[in-house]
Amino acid sequence: MATAIGQELVALLPRLRRFALVLCRSQPLADDLVQGACERALAKADSWTPGTRFDAWMFRILRNYWIDHLRRMRTEGMMEDVEAQTHLIGDPGEEPVMSKIALAEVQRAIEGLPQEQREVLALVCGEDLSYREAAEVLNVPIGTVMSRLARARKRLVEMTAAA
Amino acid sequence: MSELHLTDEILMAFADGELEEPVAAAVARVMAQDPSVARKVVEFQQSRRLTRSVFASNLAPDVPAKLRAAISAQIEAYEAASKAGRRPEPVKTESPWPKRGYPMKMALAASLAAVAVATGYFAGRQAQPEAGRLAHLEDPLVFTELSRLESGREAELPVGRLRVISTYRLQNGSLCREFRLQSTSTATDAVACRNDEWNVTFALTEPTKSAEYVPSSGDGLMDAYLGRLGAGTPLEGEAEAKALVEATR
């Protein structure tokens, strides 16, 4: 049993990193997130029901870990950083550097989506979770999953068509 | 013709194979009759495929050695504990964050950088002391519209086209509205909050690249900001109307 979880965990690492990156958008931070989530998962390994999807169970732990982290950080100076940018204004004279960056159009469109839409898109379309499984990972009703997902995908179609 | 009201959610669920049979069959019938419905379903299939390809291309099979080692150590410790018949205790490898010190601000900095890279939004330069940039946001006409315009509505003002995006009630009771002001040269996404009067508390400006299409690239930051505010779920419909009346009474 123990070995099984260890193997599953190692095999899942690339996908955990990918989802962590969707959540926090920083690779070093994503790796820390994965490490912390694995630690947490092992500590409560017996709460996983064999026969259910291990990946969905891990995504949920990972995301909860991230949320806890955000909550913790809220009290530790995060506010100042946002406030420092409160009146940050772009320079309209600055030419877009977009042409220099070979980012795929769709990738950009996804990154432009609000966080709550990005994560549900990642789980359902990227990780092939069902609506219900995604709802469990995100701890929201299935209707919320569907409305966020539909909005995300409509916007994706609009953005990629318009670009 | 059809009694069935086909929301986007239903069409999407159909495209994803998540609909129960009687409904799925009904959708299929409508699709056969109505090309616009069929097109929507195809678009949902397409967006899924596109997303899938992006995620597939983002999958880095090489997990950094350091991370792999840290997790292998956790697993070994866990298995040793299990074998010894002890209740496995949480393995205390270093708690990743406090020591390594990736505070949230780094995540924000990273997303800021991403925004800057992707759109040319210029983050490095500190807020221009030039009050002129903000002045058009704080135009009395903008504030007047913020007090009455329903989310999703637009108004043409001398300073540009104002679009109110959403409304939030903060825990301290103040009312905040996210809006976009678009002039010929720039588009600004901003938040204004009201206690006795409206104050612009956040603004992101980017050059308008082309008339027809402006990616809202500042979304990550805007989300981060609204998240920090504790904005929660936006007020809609009657709740919004009521909140506006109360706040501006």
Side-chain angles (χ1 to χ4, degrees):
Chain A
M1 184 65 248
T3 318
I5 265 211
Q7 280 170 353
E8 296 243 30
L9 208 49
V10 170
L12 196 58
L13 284 178
R15 287 173 63 210
L16 285 175
R17 293 181 78 219
R18 178 169 71 179
F19 184 53
L21 198 56
V22 170
L23 295 176
C24 71
R25 303 190 185 206
S26 145
Q27 190 65 69
L29 187 56
D31 284 349
D32 283 349
L33 184 57
V34 168
Q35 189 179 331
C38 287
E39 185 178 325
R40 200 179 266 192
L42 288 169
K44 56 180 211 174
D46 42 3
S47 77
W48 176 55
T49 317
T52 60
R53 280 186 74 153
F54 182 73
D55 56 357
W57 184 75
M58 266 317 292
F59 288 143
R60 185 183 167 99
I61 292 176
L62 182 70
R63 185 168 176 281
N64 286 342
Y65 192 69
W66 168 239
I67 290 172
D68 290 350
H69 172 65
L70 288 180
R71 210 169 279 147
R72 224 174 303 130
M73 283 306 159
R74 194 166 295 170
T75 48
E76 294 172 31
M78 175 57 195
M79 240 12 237
E80 294 150 37
D81 292 300
V82 172
E83 270 159 19
Q85 291 159 12
T86 289
H87 286 144
L88 194 72
I89 299 287
D91 180 351
E94 193 72 17
E95 276 300 302
V97 291
M98 195 153 43
S99 58
K100 294 181 195 163
I101 310 294
L103 275 178
E105 188 187 315
V106 185
Q107 172 97 47
R108 259 193 304 126
I110 292 175
E111 280 167 10
L113 293 172
Q115 170 76 27
E116 58 171 36
Q117 293 180 21
R118 238 180 25 240
E119 59 183 9
V120 73
L121 187 72
L123 289 173
V124 175
C125 297
E127 305 291 351
D128 266 333
L129 265 59
S130 69
Y131 296 169
R132 179 156 306 286
E133 286 160 348
E136 277 164 21
V137 170
L138 301 172
N139 200 25
V140 296
I142 198 166
T144 307
V145 162
M146 289 172 70
S147 63
R148 286 179 188 171
L149 186 61
R151 259 180 287 149
R153 285 158 77 175
K154 287 194 73 168
R155 189 137 168 224
L156 218 55
V157 168
E158 283 162 19
M159 290 176 93
T160 48
Chain B
M1 225 174 38
S2 167
E3 295 291 307
L4 194 62
H5 177 59
L6 295 177
T7 60
D8 286 332
E9 283 82 1
I10 292 179
L11 295 179
M12 175 185 75
F14 179 82
D16 288 343
E18 290 245 6
L19 273 192
E20 300 296 326
E21 196 32 68
V23 189
V27 173
R29 276 198 301 279
V30 179
M31 261 181 83
Q33 292 160 358
D34 186 343
S36 73
V37 170
R39 192 172 52 97
K40 278 188 183 174
V41 171
V42 170
E43 281 176 354
F44 277 120
Q45 288 171 335
Q46 198 182 9
S47 59
R48 181 170 190 130
R49 263 202 312 277
L50 288 174
T51 305
R52 216 185 142 73
S53 328
V54 166
F55 276 85
S57 72
N58 285 349
L59 189 68
D62 300 326
V63 177
K66 202 175 157 198
L67 178 63
R68 190 178 283 278
I71 287 167
S72 297
Q74 287 177 1
I75 293 172
E76 271 170 37
Y78 167 79
E79 289 176 355
S82 299
K83 237 175 240 157
R86 281 180 283 134
R87 189 181 158 67
E89 284 178 21
V91 186
K92 273 290 155 220
T93 52
E94 305 172 17
S95 172
W97 278 317
K99 272 212 175 128
R100 301 260 310 263
Y102 287 111
M104 180 55 199
K105 62 185 167 198
M106 286 209 40
L108 189 65
S111 45
L112 189 61
V115 170
V117 164
T119 68
Y121 159 73
F122 204 71
R125 197 159 299 183
Q126 268 311 314
Q128 305 255 7
E130 228 181 291
R133 294 272 153 63
L134 270 178
H136 69 292
L137 292 175
E138 295 181 328
D139 189 292
L141 287 172
V142 170
F143 288 163
T144 306
E145 294 300 336
L146 285 182
S147 295
R148 64 182 183 204
L149 216 58
E150 185 187 325
S151 291
R153 292 291 174 87
E154 296 192 346
E156 291 292 345
L157 302 176
V159 290
R161 189 167 74 227
L162 172 74
R163 180 183 172 83
V164 182
I165 297 167
S166 51
T167 306
Y168 301 92
R169 167 81 71 196
L170 304 190
Q171 280 184 347
N172 67 11
S174 60
L175 195 69
C176 296
R177 309 200 80 188
E178 181 192 354
F179 63 99
R180 164 168 273 232
L181 190 63
Q182 190 160 355
S183 68
T184 42
S185 58
T186 61
T188 304
D189 285 306
V191 173
C193 294
R194 185 179 175 99
N195 290 312
D196 298 325
E197 55 183 12
W198 289 109
N199 281 303
V200 175
T201 59
F202 183 81
L204 286 168
T205 296
E206 57 189 41
T208 311
K209 283 180 288 269
S210 64
E212 75 278 13
Y213 172 59
V214 183
S216 37
S217 50
D219 261 4
L221 279 178
M222 180 58 86
D223 284 347
Y225 180 69
L226 290 172
R228 287 316 100 198
L229 278 182
T233 323
L235 299 175
E236 284 169 358
E238 277 179 29
E240 179 183 58
K242 195 161 157 251
L244 284 176
V245 170
E246 283 170 7
T248 56
R249 189 173 285 166

